Amino acid sequence: MKPFTQHTGQVYPFDRANIDTDAILPKQYLKSIRKFGYADWLFDDLRYLDSGDVTTPIAERRKNPDFMLNQPEYQCSTVLLARDNFGCGSSREHAVWALRDYGFKVVLAPSFADIFYNNCFKNGLLPIALPPKVVDDLFSLAATAKLTISVDLVSKMICADTHQWQFDIDESRRANLLAGLDEISITLASADLICSFEKTLKDDEPWLFQTID
Amino acid sequence: MNSPRTLYDKLWERRCVKQNEDGTALIYIDRHIVHEVSSAQAFEGLQAANRRPWRTDAIIATPDHNVPTTDRDKGIAGITDDTSRIQVQTLDDNCKTFSIPQFALNDNRQGIVHVIAPEQGLTLPGMTVVCGDSHTATHGAFAALGVGIGTSEVEHVLATQCLIQRKAKNLRIDVSGKLGVGVTAKDVVLYIISQIGTAAGTGCTIEFTGEAIYSLSMEGRMTLCNMAIEAGARAGLVAFDATTEAYVKGRRYAPSGQDWDKAVAIWRELKSDKDAVFDIEYHYDAADIRPQVSWGTSPEMVVAIDATVPLVENLPAGKSADYQKAMQYMGLEPGQSMTSIKLDRVFVGSCTNSRIEDIRTVAKLVKGKQVAANIKQALVVPGSGLVKAQAEKEGLDTILIEAGFEWRSPGCSMCLAMNADRLFSGEHCASTSNRNFESRQGSGGRTHLVSPAMAAAAAIHGHLVDVSKESVL
Ligand code: SF4
């Protein structure tokens, strides 16, 4: 994973609460077995007037001109601004891959669904939970003009316009993002500990270790 | 003396390999259930990093999310949808490559992940159970810690047999008293979500307690815990008791002989201590719970069957816009009675309600009757090959087919419409599944979440109906 230290990009204000994983990436795209290549299907139901699936050529689909992300001035957004409970619904990580593949680097919202929030960190997407008041302010700023935001993970600061806000983030997650560390290697460093735990468990509860035939 | 602990505290501590300073912990995973949709990329990652699964006997794989529920005799090659076939084939290939046990497509143990594991004794009390599917909460019915994980976590568990977790808060939902006629586990959980909302459980593990909960069968408890995720909680729990013990005993992979006695002695501790403190508590009275039905596009948009679609002036503060949008999507008017909602399709299935008890209930209600003429399709999709076989042994399939239902092969089916079973735009469906999100059951489809009993009665009447008034109950 690439280290994440700081990012400056354009805000896409998506003024809706409870944006669920179906809205972010509809389930027909879960059929893909790839780990990349989901950009064209992000917000699919909203972005297109017709419905598609993994086999539909994108060029043949009709874009919904009323959906703001389709408007030229928003197409290059990299910071998503939304309301409460962003990413609720299923555990599909594809939702995060779609945001990542589209080019989003940061998601700002008052709150996130747990699994979605976790999945973000595994894919170098930074979710930041902000107080509702700050989110309100950001929406107001974004309402009048295109808004660019800078997010600095080192100092845990967000700057937009002339304003600055501090944000909170779990220290270990921050450290891993900053270093671009992958979680499996971190865990495998404790392999001996896992082995001895497993051995004790096998003595105590041997029925957990039956072969499945 | 140790300080009193909740069931969740105990489950957590039993499997905590290492507590990290940052508040996260390394949790050992006893059972990993793998399906075709959320695993391909994990295996790809494993292979790319030159890693092997840590412990294959902890894993059970099965295809369920997008398998067809008809014409299965040609096996994987017979799946007509290309992408579905590729996913199921990829799972099959990965199981072979990595020597992972699989209940493959035409194995009679195949079925929905959350149905097959408990049925085989692969989910046991005190276990940690993970699966790349949010409804892994289901397994909490066994006083096991079941959590849904994403694909990266699937890869992490494959590679390390552990998961990095942060301990959740303890939330208790207590339902006292006895459930009324026609009120099932599904109604209890829908009622709870309608009261607390879909975000109330965020960051929490819910333990369900109280007389009404302990009176539920294991099937009912699975239905209940299954939908903990719809209340925002990653895990739901019910304490171990005689009901759990009786269900687990004799299952294929349950301990036996001396091990059984040893296991039961351990499992008996799997309950919250008397004075355990919960961070949040809600209390309800079973007497207040009527058969429930969802009218909107979120599992909290639920009312009693004898109520109406909410009036605009009664909508919860701050949610008015979402609720009105939902009414529009569902094609419903504020104040419209729920029983006036005509249906196009009925779906009995999903990991919430596709177990033998559910199918028995449906058969009991429709026996000797006919599905109403306006219902285009009434589907019953058993949760596993074994549920199907059991139902057929009891002659339930004949009852259902004679009443006008279609009797299918196991899979997720119309719960998420990844296979050919789906709603068309504008169609209303009484569904025993767990999510009524926009387009969940097919683009433009309108889902009403209900219990199996309600689904059965609705199929016969052609519209939503108060199932508690059905004479056979
Ligand atoms: S039945 Fe539905 S909710 Fe359950 S595992 Fe399958 S798709 Fe998920």
Side-chain angles (χ1 to χ4, degrees), chain B residues 35 64-65 112-114 133-135 138 226 230 347 349-352 354 411-418 433-435 440:
Chain B
H35 64 86
D64 62 352
H65 276 60
I112 305 172
V113 279
H114 311 308
D133 182 278
S134 56
H135 291 93
T138 312
N226 175 275
E230 258 55 65
F347 171 62
S350 89
C351 56
T352 315
S354 64
C412 296
S413 178
M414 209 192 270
C415 172
L416 87 169
M418 281 187 77
S433 57
N434 44 53
R435 286 190 174 145
R440 166 85 177 182

Side-chain angles (χ1 to χ4, degrees), chain B residues 106-383:
Chain B
N106 281 339
D107 188 313
N108 75 339
R109 297 168 297 176
Q110 176 269 339
I112 305 172
V113 279
H114 311 308
V115 176
I116 60 149
E119 165 177 275
Q120 292 292 327
L122 289 170
T123 297
L124 293 171
M127 270 186 166
T128 44
V129 180
V130 297
C131 175
D133 182 278
S134 56
H135 291 93
T136 312
T138 312
H139 305 265
F142 290 82
L145 185 59
V147 289
I149 56 177
T151 300
S152 289
E153 288 175 316
V154 171
E155 187 180 336
H156 191 277
V157 175
L158 283 173
T160 69
Q161 209 52 46
C162 290
L163 193 60
I164 300 167
Q165 288 271 283
R166 180 173 298 273
K167 195 159 177 231
K169 283 191 282 198
N170 281 291
L171 190 162
R172 174 177 171 211
I173 297 180
D174 184 77
V175 187
S176 58
K178 291 193 169 50
L179 296 174
V181 177
V183 180
T184 67
K186 184 66 162 285
D187 302 296
V188 172
V189 72
L190 285 173
Y191 175 80
I192 290 169
I193 299 166
S194 75
Q195 301 298 306
I196 65 178
T198 52
T202 306
C204 300
T205 291
I206 300 178
E207 182 178 347
F208 297 97
T209 65
E211 186 189 354
I213 303 299
Y214 300 136
S215 73
L216 296 173
S217 65
M218 283 316 289
E219 284 85 350
R221 294 177 189 186
M222 284 189 254
T223 302
L224 181 76
C225 290
N226 175 275
M227 291 193 70
I229 184 76
E230 258 55 65
R234 209 162 166 188
L237 292 171
V238 177
F240 179 85
D241 65 5
T243 305
T244 331
E245 185 178 330
Y247 181 98
V248 172
K249 192 164 191 183
R251 303 260 154 200
R252 174 71 180 85
Y253 295 102
S256 57
Q258 281 186 351
D259 275 352
W260 172 258
D261 299 332
K262 201 175 152 199
V264 170
I266 295 176
W267 297 344
R268 291 224 167 102
E269 301 302 313
L270 298 176
K271 55 178 192 238
S272 289
D273 295 332
K274 211 171 118 277
D275 299 317
V277 181
F278 288 82
D279 299 291
I280 309 163
E281 299 203 28
Y282 295 97
H283 293 268
Y284 299 104
D285 185 347
D288 295 334
I289 309 179
R290 297 273 304 131
Q292 304 285 309
V293 48
S294 74
W295 59 265
T297 55
S298 153
E300 68 181 36
M301 298 174 182
V302 163
V303 291
I305 183 65
D306 40 11
T308 65
V309 177
L311 292 167
V312 174
E313 54 270 34
N314 295 342
L315 294 179
K319 290 184 174 173
S320 188
D322 285 350
Y323 275 52
Q324 290 189 59
K325 203 175 138 275
M327 282 178 202
Q328 229 172 37
Y329 177 85
M330 294 295 290
L332 299 174
E333 296 298 326
Q336 179 177 350
S337 76
M338 292 310 292
T339 50
S340 72
I341 299 174
K342 275 218 160 29
L343 300 168
D344 301 286
R345 288 175 205 265
V346 172
F347 171 62
V348 177
S350 89
C351 56
T352 315
N353 286 118
S354 64
R355 296 178 183 84
I356 189 68
E357 184 184 277
D358 302 317
I359 306 210
R360 285 185 189 133
T361 302
V362 174
K364 184 173 160 194
L365 275 142
V366 305
K367 188 171 182 180
K369 301 188 178 124
Q370 276 302 310
V371 167
N374 60 302
I375 303 288
K376 297 175 203 160
Q377 183 182 46
L379 268 187
V380 181
V381 185

Side-chain angles (χ1 to χ4, degrees), chain A residues 105-153:
Chain A
K105 300 271 186 278
V106 179
V107 187
L108 308 170
S111 63
F112 293 88
D114 284 352
I115 302 180
F116 176 88
Y117 187 78
N118 275 319
N119 286 341
C120 284
F121 289 97
K122 299 172 201 313
N123 293 283
L125 183 67
L126 174 60
I128 303 178
L130 294 169
K133 169 81 177 73
V134 175
V135 172
D136 283 343
D137 291 348
L138 287 170
F139 270 108
S140 314
L141 288 171
T144 44
K146 262 176 45 173
L147 181 67
T148 298
I149 278 189
S150 290
V151 177
D152 188 344
L153 190 57

Side-chain angles (χ1 to χ4, degrees), chain A residues 27 30-31 33-34 54 89 93 114 118 122 170 172 184 187 198 201 204-205 208-210 213, chain B residues 22 28 41 54-55 83 87 109 151-152 156 166 203 234 252-253 262 416 418 435 439-440:
Chain A
K27 67 206 164 244
L30 305 196
K31 287 187 175 183
I33 57 166
R34 290 181 293 168
V54 282
E93 197 159 331
D114 284 352
N118 275 319
K122 299 172 201 313
D170 175 78
S172 67
I184 295 180
T187 299
E198 198 166 54
L201 190 60
D204 293 349
E205 304 181 43
L208 297 174
F209 293 79
Q210 293 185 59
D213 42 30
Chain B
D22 63 5
Y28 187 82
Q41 291 92 348
W54 179 279
R55 210 191 111 200
T83 41
Q87 278 196 333
R109 297 168 297 176
T151 300
S152 289
H156 191 277
R166 180 173 298 273
R234 209 162 166 188
R252 174 71 180 85
Y253 295 102
K262 201 175 152 199
L416 87 169
M418 281 187 77
R435 286 190 174 145
S439 298
R440 166 85 177 182

Side-chain angles (χ1 to χ4, degrees), chain A residues 28-32 34 38 41 52-57, chain B residues 83:
Chain A
Q28 63 267 33
Y29 300 109
L30 305 196
K31 287 187 175 183
S32 168
R34 290 181 293 168
Y38 292 85
W41 307 321
D53 61 32
V54 282
T55 59
T56 323
Chain B
T83 41

Side-chain angles (χ1 to χ4, degrees), chain B residues 413-470:
Chain B
S413 178
M414 209 192 270
C415 172
L416 87 169
M418 281 187 77
N419 68 357
D421 310 331
R422 59 185 62 227
L423 301 181
F424 289 91
S425 190
E427 287 181 343
H428 286 267
C429 176
S431 176
T432 65
S433 57
N434 44 53
R435 286 190 174 145
N436 51 349
F437 300 154
E438 286 185 20
S439 298
R440 166 85 177 182
Q441 294 194 287
S443 189
R446 295 162 169 171
T447 302
H448 298 281
L449 301 175
V450 296
S451 74
M454 177 85 81
I460 300 302
H461 290 270
H463 55 86
L464 293 173
V465 61
D466 187 349
V467 61
S468 67
K469 303 218 170 86
E470 294 295 298

